[in-house]
Amino acid sequence: MAEHINILGIESSCDETAAAIVTDGNDIKSSVVASQVEIHDRYGGVVPEIASRAHMEKIYPVIEKTIADSGLSPDDIHAVAVANQPGLVISLMVGVTAAKTLAMVWDKPLIAVNHVHAHLQSAMLGADKIDLPAVALIVSGGHTSLYDCESALDLKLIGKTIDDAAGEAFDKVASILDLPYPGGPSIEKTARDGDPKAIRFPRSMLKKDSLDFSFSGLKTAVLYYCQGQDMKAPSQVESMSQKQIADIAASFQAAVIDVLVAKTKRAAEKIGAKTVLLGGGVAANTALRDGLKNMCDTSKLNLLVAPRNLCTDNAVMVASLAYHKFKAKQFADLTLEPKARA
Ligand code: KG4
Ligand code: ZN
């Protein structure tokens, strides 16, 4: 019987310090995520220097707990993997340095993965067989990307945002509406009591065949709606009823989802996809999951969605993608550096 491959994955690209041990790419032995949400909440967003310091504090305790929870010892681990791009460089640096150090001390191969590609693994996890080609939609705080996916390692970027990412739009609109950080879950919760048809916010589809996204116009439309076009005027949010705020949240959410679903459908038609994969923090959104499911049912496409707890940043997805790189012998060396952009 072939030997099982255990990989330690490390993630520190934004505001979660995470480590996980995954066997053969999909058997999760342990997963630990230390979130910094409370630390950044009072600033309404991630402050890079504070994020980096928090990673420094948490990285080794998180790795130690991951190893302890797995019941494995460092001798059982075949490789150390880390997301080295894209992200906040001073945050990535903490995970990269920890991974390099462990790889050197344990004398194990080092594997570098792309954080956005890793998000896709959360959707593939546990799937026996995926009908290819697949179109993958990754929606996070930093990215809104469509990929033509031939395998875990063979991804072609076919569409991306030309301004704000979908999650970024959720976060900014939550801030306009005075809702707590992170904005995605706050908007989703508030939108439950609202009418998605109350306000017709713009749906930017760009050119007829474009697979790119633009969300900054939508964000500005919400801002104008709340403040009027005179930006010196005070925001009217304070005097709005809860129902009015819920209607704005629901109408904004519906506009984002309409665009995401329409572009995914367009991409699937373009590449003749049989399957749609959905991952990234915004994929935790129930209305998006439902919207994409309806489209896939109507268009006779298979849909694989990341489990909700693996949509936002985690290290399972890093260790899982690294397994495919391990098999393909795609290793990094100890000069590995973090990169802001992939
Ligand atoms: O993937 P992720 O954890 O980090 C990045 O790689 O960016 O995504 C975080 C983003 C944030 O913008 C957050 O507001 C959004 O995902 N998000 C959501 C939901 N949960 C998290 N957006 C909409 N609905 C949600 N339920
Ligand atoms: Zn992410």
Side-chain angles (χ1 to χ4, degrees):
M1 211 169 74
E3 187 190 15
H4 291 296
I5 303 300
N6 305 311
I7 295 185
L8 168 68
I10 297 174
E11 157 64 41
S12 69
S13 65
C14 188
D15 60 348
E16 330 275 355
T17 317
I21 295 177
V22 178
T23 302
D24 299 337
N26 61 34
D27 178 10
I28 304 170
K29 287 289 185 304
S30 60
S31 170
V32 179
V33 180
S35 169
Q36 302 175 9
V37 163
E38 279 170 26
I39 308 175
H40 299 292
D41 185 21
R42 80 179 97 139
Y43 305 101
V46 177
V47 184
E49 160 121 15
I50 296 176
S52 169
R53 283 173 184 273
H55 285 305
M56 285 292 286
E57 194 185 313
K58 294 280 170 59
I59 192 90
Y60 290 112
V62 163
I63 293 170
E64 268 189 325
K65 179 158 171 32
T66 305
I67 295 172
D69 287 356
S70 72
L72 299 174
S73 82
D75 282 349
D76 304 320
I77 291 168
H78 294 77
V80 181
V82 64
N84 77 314
Q85 58 178 310
L88 294 171
V89 166
I90 56 171
S91 284
L92 289 164
M93 205 178 274
V94 178
V96 169
T97 305
K100 288 187 347 183
T101 308
L102 291 175
M104 188 175 74
V105 173
W106 292 344
D107 195 21
K108 307 284 176 183
L110 177 69
I111 300 173
V113 308
N114 174 309
H115 172 94
V116 184
H117 295 181
H119 268 299
L120 218 152
Q121 283 301 304
S122 302
M124 294 184 175
L125 216 70
D128 286 342
K129 192 181 153 289
I130 299 174
D131 261 347
L132 297 168
V135 55
L137 173 66
I138 303 301
V139 268
S140 72
H143 294 83
T144 305
S145 310
L146 280 166
Y147 291 94
D148 176 350
C149 169
E150 295 287 342
S151 76
L153 296 181
D154 188 1
L155 303 173
K156 197 165 98 214
L157 185 67
I158 53 173
K160 62 181 186 320
T161 181
I162 58 167
D163 42 56
D164 292 349
E168 193 179 352
F170 269 93
D171 294 335
K172 287 178 175 166
V173 166
S175 148
I176 295 171
L177 297 178
D178 280 338
L179 298 172
Y181 170 85
S186 305
I187 297 256
E188 171 162 28
K189 192 160 160 256
T190 309
R192 276 186 214 131
D193 303 319
D195 172 8
K197 294 205 173 80
I199 308 147
R200 179 75 195 172
F201 287 127
R203 276 106 169 117
S204 172
M205 296 291 171
L206 301 170
K207 280 191 243 118
K208 197 170 141 277
D209 296 327
S210 173
L211 296 178
D212 288 335
F213 301 89
S214 167
F215 292 110
S216 80
L218 170 60
K219 171 195 68 191
T220 308
V222 176
L223 185 65
Y224 284 169
Y225 186 87
C226 294
Q227 194 152 350
Q229 300 222 8
D230 173 8
M231 294 309 293
K232 291 198 186 91
S235 164
Q236 290 151 30
V237 169
E238 249 177 66
S239 56
M240 284 181 190
S241 68
Q242 276 186 351
K243 171 73 174 118
Q244 278 174 303
I245 295 193
D247 282 347
I248 299 172
S251 301
F252 158 77
Q253 181 172 275
V256 175
I257 293 171
D258 277 358
V259 174
L260 292 175
V261 171
K263 295 266 165 153
T264 306
K265 181 166 189 257
R266 200 181 271 180
E269 281 162 5
K270 203 162 182 169
I271 68 165
K274 298 198 174 101
T275 302
V276 171
L277 303 165
L278 173 67
V282 183
N285 187 286
T286 302
L288 172 60
R289 296 164 87 93
D290 292 349
L292 217 51
K293 177 154 194 335
N294 287 339
M295 183 279 281
C296 288
D297 286 350
T298 315
S299 305
K300 308 254 176 312
L301 293 162
N302 302 309
L303 174 65
L304 291 172
V305 181
R308 229 176 277 267
N309 64 327
L310 295 179
C311 285
T312 45
D313 290 345
N314 65 85
V316 169
M317 63 189 202
V318 172
S320 178
L321 177 54
Y323 170 71
H324 298 280
K325 292 197 142 188
F326 183 91
K327 285 204 305 187
K329 297 192 168 48
Q330 293 180 10
F331 300 116
D333 64 37
L334 294 177
T335 61
L336 182 72
E337 287 182 23
K339 283 195 211 152
R341 288 172 198 288

